[in-house]
Amino acid sequence: MKTGKTLRNFLLVLAALALVVFLTVSFGLFSPSSHMWPSRVEDGRLHYTKHNCSLAYTPGEGSKLLSLPWRFGSEESPAAYSVGERSFTLSEDETQLLENGENLVPEGLSLREVLLRAQPDSLIAPLMDVRGRDAGYLCLTADHSRVLDGALVPLCAAGRWAYGVGQRGDEAQLYCIDLETGEAWTLADEIDVSLALTDGRWLYTYRMWGSGSASCWELRFDEGGAPSGLDYVGEV
């Protein structure tokens, strides 16, 4: 009788341990996946993951669960990147970016492909010289292409406007960069930002430290149509 109870207790302990392992793997508890991580802005909604679940935040409505973490494995890099009606492909050695067979990377430079940031409204590719030193950024949107010198770090872009910082971190200055002229000006001071995403109307700033969190802003424009500031909407 005592042996039976001992066996039953042992099996209960095993079942409890199995449940803990299942929850840890599935929901990413006690791992980096428990942090919020933004992926893209689409139709004004910020799509992000947390505990390996997919969610979407809509300004004024909040977040909704899109999918649970029952799929495993990593996605392969896409064969092509699309921004609007434009399509881009990598060269075979993944050092150049091609559009209709034409290389968009300036001569003597190459891509840092692993750091390429693709969004529905933009493609931002860090560049390096032959010695592996930083050499600016190639910033592409549906209707603009520009090589930026690296004085500012572009975080996201849509249409004619890119948004970047001089340095990521606490109380950073957020700039707007005109992809037509190269001119830049300050949009906001003292914004905590590691990453940013935009669709041209809404801009999301993400803070990587702690458990990760994001703020939603609505872009404000002047009479000429240029971004002139940010209006705070709320936390995601």
Side-chain angles (χ1 to χ4, degrees), residues 162-175:
Y163 305 92
V165 294
Q167 185 175 356
R168 296 179 177 90
D170 297 333
E171 301 181 353
Q173 284 188 311
L174 183 70
Y175 294 84

mmCIF file with all atom_site columns, all heavy atoms in Angstrom, residues 162-175:
data_model
loop_
_atom_site.group_PDB
_atom_site.id
_atom_site.type_symbol
_atom_site.label_atom_id
_atom_site.label_alt_id
_atom_site.label_comp_id
_atom_site.label_asym_id
_atom_site.label_entity_id
_atom_site.label_seq_id
_atom_site.pdbx_PDB_ins_code
_atom_site.Cartn_x
_atom_site.Cartn_y
_atom_site.Cartn_z
_atom_site.occupancy
_atom_site.B_iso_or_equiv
_atom_site.pdbx_formal_charge
_atom_site.auth_seq_id
_atom_site.auth_comp_id
_atom_site.auth_asym_id
_atom_site.auth_atom_id
_atom_site.pdbx_PDB_model_num
ATOM 1   N N   . ALA A 1 162 ? 11.626 59.636 -43.251 1.00 0.00 ? 162 ALA A N   1
ATOM 2   C CA  . ALA A 1 162 ? 12.226 58.625 -42.373 1.00 0.00 ? 162 ALA A CA  1
ATOM 3   C C   . ALA A 1 162 ? 12.352 59.231 -40.979 1.00 0.00 ? 162 ALA A C   1
ATOM 4   O O   . ALA A 1 162 ? 12.365 60.454 -40.813 1.00 0.00 ? 162 ALA A O   1
ATOM 5   C CB  . ALA A 1 162 ? 13.601 58.216 -42.886 1.00 0.00 ? 162 ALA A CB  1
ATOM 6   N N   . TYR A 1 163 ? 12.443 58.359 -39.974 1.00 0.00 ? 163 TYR A N   1
ATOM 7   C CA  . TYR A 1 163 ? 12.513 58.807 -38.585 1.00 0.00 ? 163 TYR A CA  1
ATOM 8   C C   . TYR A 1 163 ? 13.689 58.116 -37.912 1.00 0.00 ? 163 TYR A C   1
ATOM 9   O O   . TYR A 1 163 ? 13.836 56.894 -38.015 1.00 0.00 ? 163 TYR A O   1
ATOM 10  C CB  . TYR A 1 163 ? 11.192 58.502 -37.861 1.00 0.00 ? 163 TYR A CB  1
ATOM 11  C CG  . TYR A 1 163 ? 10.008 59.103 -38.592 1.00 0.00 ? 163 TYR A CG  1
ATOM 12  C CD1 . TYR A 1 163 ? 9.317  58.367 -39.546 1.00 0.00 ? 163 TYR A CD1 1
ATOM 13  C CD2 . TYR A 1 163 ? 9.627  60.424 -38.365 1.00 0.00 ? 163 TYR A CD2 1
ATOM 14  C CE1 . TYR A 1 163 ? 8.262  58.928 -40.249 1.00 0.00 ? 163 TYR A CE1 1
ATOM 15  C CE2 . TYR A 1 163 ? 8.568  60.994 -39.060 1.00 0.00 ? 163 TYR A CE2 1
ATOM 16  C CZ  . TYR A 1 163 ? 7.891  60.236 -40.011 1.00 0.00 ? 163 TYR A CZ  1
ATOM 17  O OH  . TYR A 1 163 ? 6.852  60.804 -40.711 1.00 0.00 ? 163 TYR A OH  1
ATOM 18  N N   . GLY A 1 164 ? 14.530 58.915 -37.259 1.00 0.00 ? 164 GLY A N   1
ATOM 19  C CA  . GLY A 1 164 ? 15.728 58.333 -36.688 1.00 0.00 ? 164 GLY A CA  1
ATOM 20  C C   . GLY A 1 164 ? 16.231 59.109 -35.487 1.00 0.00 ? 164 GLY A C   1
ATOM 21  O O   . GLY A 1 164 ? 15.649 60.112 -35.067 1.00 0.00 ? 164 GLY A O   1
ATOM 22  N N   . VAL A 1 165 ? 17.327 58.627 -34.938 1.00 0.00 ? 165 VAL A N   1
ATOM 23  C CA  . VAL A 1 165 ? 17.915 59.220 -33.736 1.00 0.00 ? 165 VAL A CA  1
ATOM 24  C C   . VAL A 1 165 ? 19.424 59.386 -33.939 1.00 0.00 ? 165 VAL A C   1
ATOM 25  O O   . VAL A 1 165 ? 20.030 58.726 -34.784 1.00 0.00 ? 165 VAL A O   1
ATOM 26  C CB  . VAL A 1 165 ? 17.664 58.335 -32.485 1.00 0.00 ? 165 VAL A CB  1
ATOM 27  C CG1 . VAL A 1 165 ? 16.186 58.280 -32.158 1.00 0.00 ? 165 VAL A CG1 1
ATOM 28  C CG2 . VAL A 1 165 ? 18.217 56.922 -32.703 1.00 0.00 ? 165 VAL A CG2 1
ATOM 29  N N   . GLY A 1 166 ? 20.008 60.276 -33.130 1.00 0.00 ? 166 GLY A N   1
ATOM 30  C CA  . GLY A 1 166 ? 21.454 60.377 -33.120 1.00 0.00 ? 166 GLY A CA  1
ATOM 31  C C   . GLY A 1 166 ? 22.060 59.230 -32.345 1.00 0.00 ? 166 GLY A C   1
ATOM 32  O O   . GLY A 1 166 ? 23.111 58.696 -32.681 1.00 0.00 ? 166 GLY A O   1
ATOM 33  N N   . GLN A 1 167 ? 21.350 58.805 -31.298 1.00 0.00 ? 167 GLN A N   1
ATOM 34  C CA  . GLN A 1 167 ? 21.785 57.698 -30.460 1.00 0.00 ? 167 GLN A CA  1
ATOM 35  C C   . GLN A 1 167 ? 20.578 57.116 -29.750 1.00 0.00 ? 167 GLN A C   1
ATOM 36  O O   . GLN A 1 167 ? 19.772 57.848 -29.173 1.00 0.00 ? 167 GLN A O   1
ATOM 37  C CB  . GLN A 1 167 ? 22.818 58.168 -29.426 1.00 0.00 ? 167 GLN A CB  1
ATOM 38  C CG  . GLN A 1 167 ? 23.411 57.049 -28.585 1.00 0.00 ? 167 GLN A CG  1
ATOM 39  C CD  . GLN A 1 167 ? 24.514 57.551 -27.676 1.00 0.00 ? 167 GLN A CD  1
ATOM 40  O OE1 . GLN A 1 167 ? 24.895 58.722 -27.705 1.00 0.00 ? 167 GLN A OE1 1
ATOM 41  N NE2 . GLN A 1 167 ? 25.038 56.663 -26.844 1.00 0.00 ? 167 GLN A NE2 1
ATOM 42  N N   . ARG A 1 168 ? 20.441 55.787 -29.799 1.00 0.00 ? 168 ARG A N   1
ATOM 43  C CA  . ARG A 1 168 ? 19.346 55.135 -29.100 1.00 0.00 ? 168 ARG A CA  1
ATOM 44  C C   . ARG A 1 168 ? 19.545 55.232 -27.596 1.00 0.00 ? 168 ARG A C   1
ATOM 45  O O   . ARG A 1 168 ? 20.669 55.321 -27.119 1.00 0.00 ? 168 ARG A O   1
ATOM 46  C CB  . ARG A 1 168 ? 19.256 53.659 -29.491 1.00 0.00 ? 168 ARG A CB  1
ATOM 47  C CG  . ARG A 1 168 ? 18.935 53.382 -30.941 1.00 0.00 ? 168 ARG A CG  1
ATOM 48  C CD  . ARG A 1 168 ? 18.916 51.881 -31.160 1.00 0.00 ? 168 ARG A CD  1
ATOM 49  N NE  . ARG A 1 168 ? 18.555 51.495 -32.513 1.00 0.00 ? 168 ARG A NE  1
ATOM 50  C CZ  . ARG A 1 168 ? 19.415 51.319 -33.494 1.00 0.00 ? 168 ARG A CZ  1
ATOM 51  N NH1 . ARG A 1 168 ? 20.708 51.528 -33.271 1.00 0.00 ? 168 ARG A NH1 1
ATOM 52  N NH2 . ARG A 1 168 ? 19.004 50.941 -34.699 1.00 0.00 ? 168 ARG A NH2 1
ATOM 53  N N   . GLY A 1 169 ? 18.429 55.148 -26.854 1.00 0.00 ? 169 GLY A N   1
ATOM 54  C CA  . GLY A 1 169 ? 18.558 55.104 -25.405 1.00 0.00 ? 169 GLY A CA  1
ATOM 55  C C   . GLY A 1 169 ? 17.573 56.004 -24.700 1.00 0.00 ? 169 GLY A C   1
ATOM 56  O O   . GLY A 1 169 ? 16.554 56.424 -25.260 1.00 0.00 ? 169 GLY A O   1
ATOM 57  N N   . ASP A 1 170 ? 17.878 56.297 -23.425 1.00 0.00 ? 170 ASP A N   1
ATOM 58  C CA  . ASP A 1 170 ? 17.020 57.164 -22.625 1.00 0.00 ? 170 ASP A CA  1
ATOM 59  C C   . ASP A 1 170 ? 17.085 58.593 -23.147 1.00 0.00 ? 170 ASP A C   1
ATOM 60  O O   . ASP A 1 170 ? 18.151 59.094 -23.515 1.00 0.00 ? 170 ASP A O   1
ATOM 61  C CB  . ASP A 1 170 ? 17.468 57.156 -21.154 1.00 0.00 ? 170 ASP A CB  1
ATOM 62  C CG  . ASP A 1 170 ? 17.327 55.775 -20.533 1.00 0.00 ? 170 ASP A CG  1
ATOM 63  O OD1 . ASP A 1 170 ? 16.458 55.012 -20.996 1.00 0.00 ? 170 ASP A OD1 1
ATOM 64  O OD2 . ASP A 1 170 ? 18.086 55.465 -19.606 1.00 0.00 ? 170 ASP A OD2 1
ATOM 65  N N   . GLU A 1 171 ? 15.933 59.240 -23.178 1.00 0.00 ? 171 GLU A N   1
ATOM 66  C CA  . GLU A 1 171 ? 15.838 60.667 -23.497 1.00 0.00 ? 171 GLU A CA  1
ATOM 67  C C   . GLU A 1 171 ? 16.536 61.011 -24.815 1.00 0.00 ? 171 GLU A C   1
ATOM 68  O O   . GLU A 1 171 ? 17.295 61.970 -24.919 1.00 0.00 ? 171 GLU A O   1
ATOM 69  C CB  . GLU A 1 171 ? 16.388 61.512 -22.343 1.00 0.00 ? 171 GLU A CB  1
ATOM 70  C CG  . GLU A 1 171 ? 15.654 61.268 -21.023 1.00 0.00 ? 171 GLU A CG  1
ATOM 71  C CD  . GLU A 1 171 ? 16.180 62.115 -19.891 1.00 0.00 ? 171 GLU A CD  1
ATOM 72  O OE1 . GLU A 1 171 ? 17.205 62.801 -20.093 1.00 0.00 ? 171 GLU A OE1 1
ATOM 73  O OE2 . GLU A 1 171 ? 15.564 62.109 -18.820 1.00 0.00 ? 171 GLU A OE2 1
ATOM 74  N N   . ALA A 1 172 ? 16.281 60.211 -25.823 1.00 0.00 ? 172 ALA A N   1
ATOM 75  C CA  . ALA A 1 172 ? 16.862 60.456 -27.142 1.00 0.00 ? 172 ALA A CA  1
ATOM 76  C C   . ALA A 1 172 ? 16.053 61.515 -27.881 1.00 0.00 ? 172 ALA A C   1
ATOM 77  O O   . ALA A 1 172 ? 14.875 61.730 -27.607 1.00 0.00 ? 172 ALA A O   1
ATOM 78  C CB  . ALA A 1 172 ? 16.883 59.164 -27.951 1.00 0.00 ? 172 ALA A CB  1
ATOM 79  N N   . GLN A 1 173 ? 16.696 62.180 -28.833 1.00 0.00 ? 173 GLN A N   1
ATOM 80  C CA  . GLN A 1 173 ? 16.001 63.100 -29.724 1.00 0.00 ? 173 GLN A CA  1
ATOM 81  C C   . GLN A 1 173 ? 15.562 62.323 -30.959 1.00 0.00 ? 173 GLN A C   1
ATOM 82  O O   . GLN A 1 173 ? 16.361 61.623 -31.574 1.00 0.00 ? 173 GLN A O   1
ATOM 83  C CB  . GLN A 1 173 ? 16.900 64.256 -30.126 1.00 0.00 ? 173 GLN A CB  1
ATOM 84  C CG  . GLN A 1 173 ? 17.089 65.318 -29.057 1.00 0.00 ? 173 GLN A CG  1
ATOM 85  C CD  . GLN A 1 173 ? 17.844 66.524 -29.594 1.00 0.00 ? 173 GLN A CD  1
ATOM 86  O OE1 . GLN A 1 173 ? 18.885 66.373 -30.230 1.00 0.00 ? 173 GLN A OE1 1
ATOM 87  N NE2 . GLN A 1 173 ? 17.330 67.707 -29.333 1.00 0.00 ? 173 GLN A NE2 1
ATOM 88  N N   . LEU A 1 174 ? 14.298 62.471 -31.329 1.00 0.00 ? 174 LEU A N   1
ATOM 89  C CA  . LEU A 1 174 ? 13.774 61.815 -32.524 1.00 0.00 ? 174 LEU A CA  1
ATOM 90  C C   . LEU A 1 174 ? 13.725 62.833 -33.654 1.00 0.00 ? 174 LEU A C   1
ATOM 91  O O   . LEU A 1 174 ? 13.178 63.927 -33.495 1.00 0.00 ? 174 LEU A O   1
ATOM 92  C CB  . LEU A 1 174 ? 12.383 61.244 -32.262 1.00 0.00 ? 174 LEU A CB  1
ATOM 93  C CG  . LEU A 1 174 ? 11.763 60.466 -33.422 1.00 0.00 ? 174 LEU A CG  1
ATOM 94  C CD1 . LEU A 1 174 ? 12.502 59.139 -33.622 1.00 0.00 ? 174 LEU A CD1 1
ATOM 95  C CD2 . LEU A 1 174 ? 10.288 60.211 -33.178 1.00 0.00 ? 174 LEU A CD2 1
ATOM 96  N N   . TYR A 1 175 ? 14.311 62.466 -34.800 1.00 0.00 ? 175 TYR A N   1
ATOM 97  C CA  . TYR A 1 175 ? 14.395 63.365 -35.948 1.00 0.00 ? 175 TYR A CA  1
ATOM 98  C C   . TYR A 1 175 ? 13.531 62.848 -37.092 1.00 0.00 ? 175 TYR A C   1
ATOM 99  O O   . TYR A 1 175 ? 13.305 61.643 -37.246 1.00 0.00 ? 175 TYR A O   1
ATOM 100 C CB  . TYR A 1 175 ? 15.837 63.459 -36.453 1.00 0.00 ? 175 TYR A CB  1
ATOM 101 C CG  . TYR A 1 175 ? 16.807 64.103 -35.489 1.00 0.00 ? 175 TYR A CG  1
ATOM 102 C CD1 . TYR A 1 175 ? 17.421 63.372 -34.479 1.00 0.00 ? 175 TYR A CD1 1
ATOM 103 C CD2 . TYR A 1 175 ? 17.126 65.459 -35.611 1.00 0.00 ? 175 TYR A CD2 1
ATOM 104 C CE1 . TYR A 1 175 ? 18.317 63.963 -33.605 1.00 0.00 ? 175 TYR A CE1 1
ATOM 105 C CE2 . TYR A 1 175 ? 18.029 66.062 -34.747 1.00 0.00 ? 175 TYR A CE2 1
ATOM 106 C CZ  . TYR A 1 175 ? 18.617 65.308 -33.741 1.00 0.00 ? 175 TYR A CZ  1
ATOM 107 O OH  . TYR A 1 175 ? 19.518 65.893 -32.872 1.00 0.00 ? 175 TYR A OH  1
#
